Amino acid sequence: MTPLTPHRIKSITEIHRLLGFAKPHHPLIGLVDLAEVRSYTGVHSVLFELYVVILKKGCNKLRYGQQAFDFDEGVLAFMAPGQILHGEENGLPEQVEGWMLFIHPDFLWNTSLATKLKQYEYFEYATHEALFLSDKEQTLIQGIVGTIRTEYEANLDSFSQNIIVSHLETLFNYAERFYQRQFLTRKKSSHQVLDRLESLLSAYFSSEDLLANGLPTVHDIADRLNVSPSYLRGLLKSLTGQSTQQLIHEKLIERAKAELTTTTLTVSEIAYKLGFEHLPSFSKLFKAKTKLSPVAFRQSFQS
């Protein structure tokens, strides 16, 4: 079966038209109450060319990519332009609570937030990596978004955009804080990911995969762990202070040290065995991590 083409949304006006709502108060930013949305048969997925923030609570599921996520609890999710939101088989979800905040990129043009948005990595997280909010956090977020809505529904003036952008930045900063809290408070699930990562890397560096496929990439590792690369990076930074790439290199150096101290293979042979095509690349990385060249490290164990 040929996959259905996502319904592309380029503007706030298109969203209102699709949902049967009145003309939006503002052409570049808008808030939609999910309780007012009805199921639309034939609209199975939507590709937004907008920034989207979703606060959702209800019994239905939404799917991002291949992942389904149950929104029984109040959660906050973020989407950057170009991402696809999947509904249920018979249309968009219904009988849910919450809202969707839509921000056209043009609204942020020439503001400091346009550049800073790249720092908020959760815009690249998958929906199943959404942010679970406490009641207190949800109330705070609702207050900020309510202020944004009041501002763009009021008579617009020369201050309006700056005020709204300021509140958006506050919203995003709180989300950043709450994600860091989630990494720490959901220790079991977070450390399960870390344990799986450690096991995966240990198995990879002990197998023939290195010789056949070379060093694993961050995207390969994230795919195997069933998380997005950005979410994995944020989780590891919170728990270990290291990036995914740094942990990959750490495991590689551990294996290199073992080869240098327990085998008679040449440094070139070890580099090739560990997935390096060129010896200088291996030597440079090893020295950067240990302050010694591979040869000097081996000699320090032989003296």
Side-chain angles (χ1 to χ4, degrees):
M1 178 181 292
T2 303
L4 295 173
T5 302
H7 188 94
R8 187 179 293 269
I9 295 290
K10 300 180 181 180
S11 69
I12 308 296
T13 299
E14 288 181 58
I15 295 165
H16 280 239
R17 187 182 300 125
L18 174 67
L19 301 178
F21 291 167
K23 183 179 178 181
H25 289 272
H26 195 291
L28 299 179
I29 187 167
L31 191 71
V32 170
D33 188 343
L34 292 177
E36 298 177 8
V37 176
R38 298 296 178 262
S39 181
Y40 286 82
T41 302
V43 181
H44 299 277
S45 59
V46 180
L47 187 154
F48 292 106
E49 295 188 9
L50 312 162
Y51 290 98
V52 184
V53 182
I54 309 168
L55 177 69
K56 189 171 183 295
K57 191 173 184 179
C59 60
N60 297 75
K61 290 182 171 62
L62 290 177
R63 188 162 55 84
Y64 174 82
Q66 301 301 313
Q67 295 298 325
F69 188 82
D70 194 336
F71 284 82
D72 284 336
E73 300 183 53
V75 296
L76 200 63
F78 298 82
M79 297 175 63
Q83 296 181 351
I84 299 175
L85 186 65
H86 299 267
E88 300 191 342
E89 293 183 1
N90 296 322
L92 295 173
E94 59 181 345
Q95 296 178 345
V96 294
E97 301 175 16
W99 43 258
M100 298 179 77
L101 175 65
F102 300 96
I103 309 154
H104 195 287
D106 287 354
F107 184 76
L108 304 175
W109 182 78
N110 206 29
T111 68
S112 59
L113 183 56
T115 302
K116 192 174 181 180
L117 269 174
K118 298 176 183 179
Q119 300 176 22
Y120 301 115
E121 294 186 340
Y122 48 75
F123 274 101
E124 299 177 16
Y125 293 176
T127 302
H128 69 291
E129 298 158 349
L131 176 61
F132 288 77
L133 296 173
S134 67
D135 290 340
K136 184 177 180 180
E137 290 169 349
Q138 186 169 323
T139 298
L140 191 152
I141 295 296
Q142 295 276 39
I144 296 172
V145 172
T147 301
I148 292 172
R149 184 175 201 167
T150 299
E151 184 63 32
Y152 76 71
E153 287 185 350
N155 294 323
L156 298 177
D157 56 29
S158 59
F159 296 94
S160 299
Q161 183 184 22
N162 287 339
I163 290 172
I164 294 173
V165 167
S166 176
H167 284 296
L168 285 173
E169 185 166 355
T170 299
L171 170 64
F172 299 153
N173 284 336
Y174 271 114
E176 182 84 4
R177 169 189 278 182
F178 297 159
Y179 257 114
Q180 294 304 311
R181 182 270 306 156
Q182 181 163 291
F183 289 142
L184 296 175
T185 56
R186 291 180 164 248
K187 288 184 179 180
K188 182 177 180 180
S189 59
S190 296
H191 282 281
Q192 283 176 341
V193 174
L194 183 58
D195 290 343
R196 286 166 55 209
L197 172 61
E198 292 279 354
S199 298
L200 190 156
L201 290 177
S202 294
Y204 191 95
F205 284 110
S206 298
S207 68
E208 298 300 320
D209 288 345
L210 268 174
L211 191 58
N213 303 317
L215 293 176
T217 67
V218 171
H219 278 79
D220 289 339
I221 295 298
D223 284 345
R224 296 190 186 201
L225 294 173
N226 197 30
V227 298
S228 66
S230 295
Y231 185 85
L232 181 60
R233 179 168 55 249
L235 184 149
L236 292 178
K237 184 178 179 180
S238 177
L239 295 181
T240 70
Q242 294 181 297
S243 68
T244 313
Q245 190 67 63
Q246 287 173 321
L247 283 177
I248 291 173
H249 285 164
E250 188 176 90
K251 284 294 181 183
L252 174 70
I253 296 303
E254 287 179 8
R255 178 68 188 277
K257 287 179 178 179
E259 294 288 338
L260 288 166
T261 56
T262 62
T263 74
T264 59
L265 295 174
T266 66
V267 174
S268 294
E269 289 171 333
I270 292 172
Y272 178 73
K273 185 177 180 181
L274 295 179
F276 286 86
E277 294 184 5
H278 307 290
L279 175 60
S281 298
F282 168 68
S283 297
K284 182 179 179 180
L285 176 63
F286 190 92
K287 189 169 185 178
K289 296 295 183 180
T290 68
K291 309 302 181 186
L292 292 172
S293 68
V295 171
F297 181 83
R298 171 174 270 173
Q299 290 175 344
S300 70
F301 277 82
Q302 294 174 343
S303 57

